[in-house]
Amino acid sequence: MTVAFLGTGLMGAPMCRNLVATGATVRAWNRSADKAQATGAAVAATPEDATRGAEACIVILSDGPACREVLFDTGAAAALAPGALLIVMASISHPEALEFAAMTTRMGLRWIDAPVSGGTPAAQAGTLSIMAGGAAADVDAARPLLDPMGRTVHIGPAGTGALTKLINQITVASTIATVAEAMILAEAGGADPGRVREALMGGFASSRILELHGQRMIARDFVPGGPARYQVKDTAAAKAVAARLGLDLPVLNLAHELFSDLIAHGGGDLDHAALLLELRRRNGLRD
């Protein structure tokens, strides 16, 4: 099977490398060709060169509009072999996933929305959580391609993978906010935030966010694994779904406001753990 891989950025590059390491025939495209070159895949000059005649295409671009442009506006999806698997692993909105799935089906292709969670460490280790929406037979057919990247759970029909990613993102966003508040409260009250984190890791407050991002906050290490601007994209998409369903989700609304303010104050390209900085700003605290 020839696999096209579109998007070899922070997440896509290690995912592509893990697929190449299995011996799969992979043609990679990225707007910056050097990033595609570093994956070990054959480098394609254009998205269409990558997808032409391929039996599968994996896409991990920045957002839904980027996926639309590359796949449908410029013709990369149309260049795939008939019946090919189109696996979009980017974080796209639920309506976009449903729309793209319908377009894909009309083109005679098989659609899977399969966004991921775990950040760059999990992408490098091949331990991502992969949330797949699509026909069960198609997800099963895609597993040999997805298994080198992480653990795949088939959620349900097309669109449910994208919906699950939004659910993941609002959980992450609200937990980051809570952990950041905990670190600020610890410091203001005279407790060592590192010791507080260590103590909490042994109880019900333990979480991957506390483990990884709590340490990032303590070390002030905000080199982006998941940039804050992408977090806002996802919370905005989740707010739109909630509004369409007539739901009032106040914690989501607050998390979106906090991350939006972080971006407004210049933190969009920092890791989303940098929400600590916005909360410190609100409290008149300086590092």
Side-chain angles (χ1 to χ4, degrees):
M1 179 181 289
T2 298
V3 184
F5 202 106
L6 308 181
T8 55
L10 282 173
M11 293 291 291
M15 293 164 66
C16 185
R17 278 195 294 270
N18 288 338
L19 182 58
V20 169
T22 69
T25 301
V26 183
R27 296 196 298 247
W29 171 84
N30 193 71
R31 295 186 194 277
S32 301
D34 58 325
K35 294 181 179 179
Q37 183 73 43
T39 66
V43 178
T46 68
E48 296 86 346
D49 288 340
T51 59
R52 190 168 291 114
E55 291 88 4
C57 176
I58 294 171
V59 184
I60 183 153
L61 299 172
S62 58
D63 54 24
C67 291
R68 182 191 300 277
E69 176 191 356
V70 169
L71 288 174
F72 303 111
D73 295 346
T74 65
L80 288 164
L85 287 164
L86 180 53
I87 309 167
V88 173
M89 305 186 77
S91 293
I92 63 177
S93 72
H94 184 235
E96 285 171 330
L98 295 175
E99 179 188 2
F100 295 170
M103 294 167 68
T104 299
T105 300
R106 288 195 296 270
M107 297 171 69
L109 304 172
R110 295 178 288 167
W111 167 270
I112 299 171
D113 45 286
V116 301
S117 180
T120 51
Q124 292 162 359
T127 58
L128 289 165
S129 173
I130 304 172
M131 313 153 218
D138 295 340
V139 173
D140 286 343
R143 287 187 186 277
L145 305 178
L146 300 176
D147 285 350
M149 304 178 199
R151 183 178 67 92
T152 301
V153 176
H154 179 212
I155 307 298
T160 57
L163 179 62
T164 303
K165 179 56 186 285
L166 292 181
I167 293 166
N168 177 85
Q169 292 302 83
I170 68 173
T171 304
V172 168
S174 60
T175 307
I176 286 175
T178 300
V179 169
E181 288 189 348
M183 296 297 102
I184 289 172
L185 182 60
E187 181 180 341
D192 180 342
R195 294 291 182 89
V196 170
R197 171 183 166 277
E198 181 181 354
L200 295 181
M201 286 299 298
F204 278 171
S206 179
S207 69
R208 289 286 285 170
I209 298 294
L210 178 64
E211 177 187 359
L212 300 179
H213 290 319
Q215 182 57 41
R216 279 178 172 266
M217 293 174 191
I218 292 165
R220 302 296 195 267
D221 174 14
F222 301 129
V223 175
R229 68 180 187 275
Y230 292 162
Q231 187 74 66
V232 167
K233 168 182 68 71
D234 292 334
T235 52
K239 278 168 58 70
V241 172
R244 193 174 75 247
L245 297 175
L247 299 175
D248 177 21
L249 302 179
V251 175
L252 166 60
N253 294 336
L254 178 57
H256 179 73
E257 175 191 331
L258 291 171
F259 278 102
S260 296
D261 285 351
L262 171 62
I263 291 173
H265 288 97
D269 289 327
L270 299 177
D271 188 84
H272 50 187
L275 188 63
L276 175 79
L277 301 180
E278 173 58 27
L279 289 168
R280 290 181 66 83
R281 185 196 67 80
R282 288 185 174 214
N283 284 282
L285 301 173
R286 295 188 180 186
D287 289 324

